[in-house]
Amino acid sequence: MAAVKGGGPDSVPSVRIMPGFPTLTVAAAMSQATQKIGFVSLGCPKALVDSERILTQLKVEGYEIVPSYGEADAVVVNTCGFIDAAVQESLDSIGTALNENGKVIVTGCLGKRAELIREAYPDVLSISGPQDYASVMHAVHEALPPVRNKFLDIVPDTGIKLTPKHYAYLKISEGCNHRCSFCIIPSMRGNLVSRPVDEVLIEAEKLVKGGVKELLVISQDTSAYGVDVKYAEREWRGKAYRTRMTELCEGLSELGAWVRLHYVYPYPHVDELMPLMAAGKILPYLDIPFQHASPRILKLMKRPGNIEKTLERVQNWRREVPELTIRSTFIVGFPGETDAEFEELLDFLREAELDRVGAFAYSPVDGAKANELPGAVSEELKEDRLEQFMAVQAEISAAKLQRKLGRTLKVLVDEANADGAVARSAADAPEIDGTVLIADGQHLKPGQFVDVVVEGASEHDLTTRLAYPELKLI
């Protein structure tokens, strides 16, 4: 699928697609006389994991997942409702599914606004919210009673995955305890509910045994993992682990895969991760949604507002882990944001020199408390500020990547063709960050680790050649 450079995991909704089928997510299945389901998955990686769980259950119960509306007996649409653009994309996808197929089951975040969906499309069969797998399956059973086929009901231990075989998202919790004024996610996904640490580690172990080389840890608030269960202790591989971010990372580091952390809030205990990164146990990569740099705007957002402390901590982390990559997301044009406060944000960007940055103009999502604030910024000014912001970050990113010229990097191959290979370094999460292009990587395979020498750099991507072309596999 296409990815917008610099975007954040929650900033832009996305449709999971397969080549040749522009709107449907598919998992390959043998063609037999079974009930057939089409599936559309929209939104962030957390929604993607929800889709994987639904698809796995469908497969377990004997349903065939097909790649086109015409082949499907019914279609499931997993929606997103994070910002207005996501809401519109979800509504459009529901409409397309109804027009092309007629039997549509709706689930996901927008399902929390059932009246909006019913008003636009009264003929949908069922509407349910995020993580409501039981309601989805009940609706499927009502529309298409399962026909079991023991030759088709074979599901790998890892379940059905919508990512390439060599990386997978590992969701460690649901919901969020924060009440950021611009966000409605808690109203859709509820308060924080952490998965037991042993359950997460067992899933991760199965994924790695199944060929996964990179685990992308996701949640709404990774740093808060375990708070709701008072960091309950569980056992895995004969050792006790607390349900807590640091201990989870210690366990994941035993699996020999890349471990990448997303949605990390800058709580004090994030400092505990630095020794693990410095020792190479987890990737030196943090995805931290700072959102703004003006103390007043941060207070209005109901976000941590001590920006000087944030800069100091970023500098301390980099002293301890020089290779640390920091990705963040920001909002421009928040209600009441003045020219001076926007300049504060740009100054922070220049001083912090963050490696990967995404931003979006404030979207007055229905139900967000921030909509009640005075001083709404015009759409024209929002877009102007967004353009300025991304131009500043592009300069920072280009300068940082230039410093990598001549260096040897370990990368993970995502794809290869006659033009070379596309890979990612420790600094690059899939789909949202840059890529590493390997000019002589035609014969590489997805999931291989190789060393490359950096020969060129743009604002987001690196161009390289194999450091040891005589070696086929590392």
Side-chain angles (χ1 to χ4, degrees):
M1 60 167 286
V4 179
K5 292 293 184 187
D10 271 337
S11 63
V12 180
S14 60
V15 186
R16 290 276 150 178
I17 63 174
M18 293 293 284
F21 302 103
T23 53
L24 284 183
T25 294
V26 302
M30 296 170 60
S31 179
Q32 294 284 344
T34 57
Q35 304 282 32
K36 298 175 181 179
I37 299 287
F39 204 101
V40 180
S41 184
L42 302 165
C44 66
K46 294 175 285 294
L48 178 70
V49 173
D50 290 344
S51 293
E52 291 174 339
R53 290 176 180 172
I54 295 168
L55 285 166
T56 297
Q57 189 59 36
L58 288 167
K59 185 67 173 153
V60 165
E61 295 190 15
Y63 292 92
E64 182 179 351
I65 313 304
V66 295
S68 69
Y69 295 113
E71 290 179 74
D73 298 309
V75 177
V76 177
V77 181
N78 188 11
T79 61
C80 178
F82 181 58
I83 58 176
D84 287 347
V87 172
Q88 190 57 54
E89 183 180 26
S90 293
L91 290 173
D92 290 346
S93 297
I94 295 167
T96 299
L98 276 170
N99 289 335
E100 297 291 332
N101 182 275
K103 290 186 176 181
V104 178
I105 295 162
V106 178
T107 188
C109 287
L110 193 60
K112 285 289 189 177
R113 300 171 63 186
E115 70 290 345
L116 178 68
I117 298 170
R118 287 284 183 202
E119 182 179 350
Y121 303 111
D123 295 332
V124 296
L125 299 180
S126 169
I127 301 172
S128 57
Q131 306 136 230
D132 192 354
Y133 315 126
S135 292
V136 175
M137 294 310 301
H138 177 74
V140 171
H141 294 159
E142 288 284 311
L144 304 171
V147 178
R148 302 306 297 262
N149 185 324
K150 66 181 180 180
F151 297 108
L152 287 179
D153 301 351
I154 300 172
V155 178
D157 283 347
T158 56
I160 303 300
K161 293 295 172 186
L162 299 179
T163 50
K165 291 182 179 179
H166 59 282
Y167 70 79
Y169 292 103
L170 185 66
K171 185 155 66 168
I172 63 173
S173 65
E174 301 284 2
C176 182
N177 288 342
H178 292 284
R179 294 297 181 266
C180 301
S181 64
F182 56 83
C183 183
I184 59 170
I185 286 176
S187 68
M188 295 186 289
R189 290 187 170 263
N191 288 332
L192 176 72
V193 179
S194 300
R195 296 177 62 196
V197 67
D198 59 329
E199 180 182 309
V200 176
L201 290 169
I202 289 169
E203 179 186 351
E205 189 172 23
K206 287 180 179 178
L207 288 168
V208 173
K209 286 181 178 177
V212 167
K213 304 294 180 65
E214 178 180 12
L215 297 165
L216 299 110
V217 178
I218 59 171
S219 66
Q220 292 300 146
D221 180 1
T222 298
S223 304
Y225 176 60
V227 167
D228 56 310
V229 295
K230 299 180 180 178
Y231 306 121
E233 191 174 274
R234 305 289 284 259
E235 186 175 301
W236 177 67
R237 287 186 172 181
K239 180 181 176 182
Y241 290 87
R242 288 194 297 166
T243 303
R244 189 169 179 271
M245 180 175 65
T246 304
E247 285 84 338
L248 171 65
C249 289
E250 289 172 350
L252 293 174
S253 73
E254 298 294 320
L255 297 174
W258 274 6
V259 177
R260 190 182 301 277
L261 300 179
H262 288 282
Y263 312 105
V264 177
Y265 283 68
Y267 301 146
H269 66 278
V270 174
D271 297 354
E272 299 171 10
L273 299 175
M274 297 305 120
L276 293 174
M277 292 181 179
K281 293 188 174 183
I282 62 174
L283 290 181
Y285 181 102
L286 284 177
D287 170 21
I288 304 179
F290 291 125
Q291 304 297 9
H292 212 279
S294 160
R296 189 184 76 89
I297 294 296
L298 286 167
K299 185 176 181 180
L300 291 175
M301 288 180 168
K302 296 188 177 179
R303 302 280 298 184
N306 192 338
I307 207 66
E308 292 301 322
K309 182 82 169 178
T310 298
L311 273 171
E312 181 184 335
R313 294 187 68 207
V314 167
Q315 291 160 359
N316 288 339
W317 291 338
R318 284 181 169 151
R319 275 192 287 272
E320 193 167 351
V321 186
E323 297 299 313
L324 178 64
T325 295
I326 300 177
R327 142 169 283 281
S328 191
T329 50
F330 294 86
I331 297 173
V332 301
F334 189 81
E337 181 189 61
T338 64
D339 289 342
E341 287 165 336
F342 177 65
E343 287 300 325
E344 280 186 75
L345 177 56
L346 296 183
D347 289 343
F348 171 80
L349 207 57
R350 295 183 183 102
E351 188 169 357
E353 285 197 321
L354 303 178
D355 303 88
R356 305 293 192 188
V357 171
F360 57 94
Y362 175 75
S363 175
V365 181
D366 188 34
K369 291 292 185 183
N371 297 340
E372 302 168 9
L373 295 171
V377 179
S378 71
E379 292 302 317
E380 183 180 2
L381 185 53
K382 285 180 191 176
E383 291 305 317
D384 180 62
R385 288 177 178 174
L386 181 60
E387 186 176 335
Q388 288 184 61
F389 181 95
M390 294 311 296
V392 169
Q393 177 56 32
E395 291 179 6
I396 294 168
S397 178
K400 297 201 79 167
L401 292 183
Q402 283 291 322
R403 298 173 201 164
K404 296 188 178 185
L405 293 177
R407 291 185 53 190
T408 299
L409 304 176
K410 181 179 181 179
V411 299
L412 178 61
V413 177
D414 281 334
E415 58 182 281
N417 54 41
D419 297 323
V422 179
R424 292 177 293 107
S425 71
D428 307 304
E431 300 187 354
I432 57 172
D433 291 332
T435 56
V436 179
L437 308 176
I438 309 173
D440 55 346
Q442 289 85 351
H443 304 297
L444 299 175
K445 298 192 181 304
Q448 279 187 240
F449 284 108
V450 293
D451 287 344
V452 297
V453 177
V454 180
E455 295 187 334
S458 65
E459 291 176 356
H460 302 290
D461 305 319
L462 299 174
T463 53
T464 69
R465 287 192 176 275
L466 291 170
Y468 310 105
E470 69 277 8
L471 298 180
K472 294 291 184 184
L473 179 67
I474 296 179

